Amino acid sequence: MICSVIAKLANGGRHQRGWFRSVAVLLGMAGLAAAGTISAQSYPDRIVTIISPFAVGSSTDIMARLLAKGLNERLRTSNFIVDNKPGANGAIGTDFVAKARPNGYTLVVGGGTTHSQNPWLVKNLNYDPVADFEPIAGVGGVPLAILVSPELPVKTMDEFSKLVSSNPGKYAYGTAFGMGTVCGENINQNFKLDLTQVPYKS
């Protein structure tokens, strides 16, 4: 799972695109510079809210908090804060940023779920993942893994698929966001399994 910092982009505007490129340079400098101020920059001169569109403690939330901490330390400020707005596969928080003023003070940490999968998974999505946003910087990635109970008598994917195939309708898998749903259904199709999805709230 790859996450990026994404900002609201005003309709049209080369002016906004140029401004966001400047912010991207600043964020990059902050990430690479030794501790100290970048005096030539006036941004941020007030609170910058980084929206985590998933629950506290989720991988996206952890990356958002590490990002805010690093920026605050390197820019010697406390203006970067994280606000969680979870729900609807990240669509609630992402839509909030899509409707925010395009001034660089409301950002979202988005990824595959919010910007690639939601257009296919969420009916009547209230934002356009391409037109409504401008990517600023990559944050990081998190590997996804299949985990089973240690009581289950399997050690490999082949053993797991044989067990599930011989017991159709018996096994289920839990998901917390769209990426898990897509991966689970991909496993179902590729291995011709009958796993039932059980969605959880983050």
Side-chain angles (χ1 to χ4, degrees), residues 62-137:
I62 291 168
M63 282 190 269
R65 292 179 188 280
L66 288 172
L67 174 69
K69 181 176 183 291
L71 288 170
N72 282 329
E73 288 174 352
R74 286 173 174 82
L75 297 178
R76 292 187 179 178
T77 183
S78 58
N79 284 340
F80 291 92
I81 65 167
V82 175
D83 185 14
N84 294 84
K85 292 189 181 298
N89 275 343
I92 291 173
T94 307
D95 180 54
F96 176 84
V97 176
K99 291 177 170 56
R101 291 185 63 193
N103 57 12
Y105 284 86
T106 307
L107 312 175
V108 63
V109 177
T113 295
T114 57
H115 283 74
S116 295
Q117 294 156 7
N118 274 353
W120 305 101
L121 297 175
V122 178
K123 195 173 184 179
N124 301 321
L125 192 65
N126 291 326
Y127 62 86
D128 186 314
V130 177
D132 289 345
F133 299 90
E134 179 77 3
I136 292 178

Side-chain angles (χ1 to χ4, degrees), residues 18-36:
W19 188 90
F20 281 123
R21 285 192 192 97
S22 298
V23 175
V25 170
L26 173 60
L27 292 174
M29 289 170 67
L32 296 174

Side-chain angles (χ1 to χ4, degrees), residues 137-152:
V139 177
V142 176
L144 299 175
I146 299 171
L147 305 174
V148 299
S149 166
E151 297 174 1
L152 208 63

Side-chain angles (χ1 to χ4, degrees), residues 117 144 146 173 178-189:
Q117 294 156 7
L144 299 175
I146 299 171
Y173 66 97
M179 185 79 77
T181 301
V182 171
C183 290
E185 289 308 310
N186 192 35
I187 290 169
N188 262 344
Q189 290 184 24

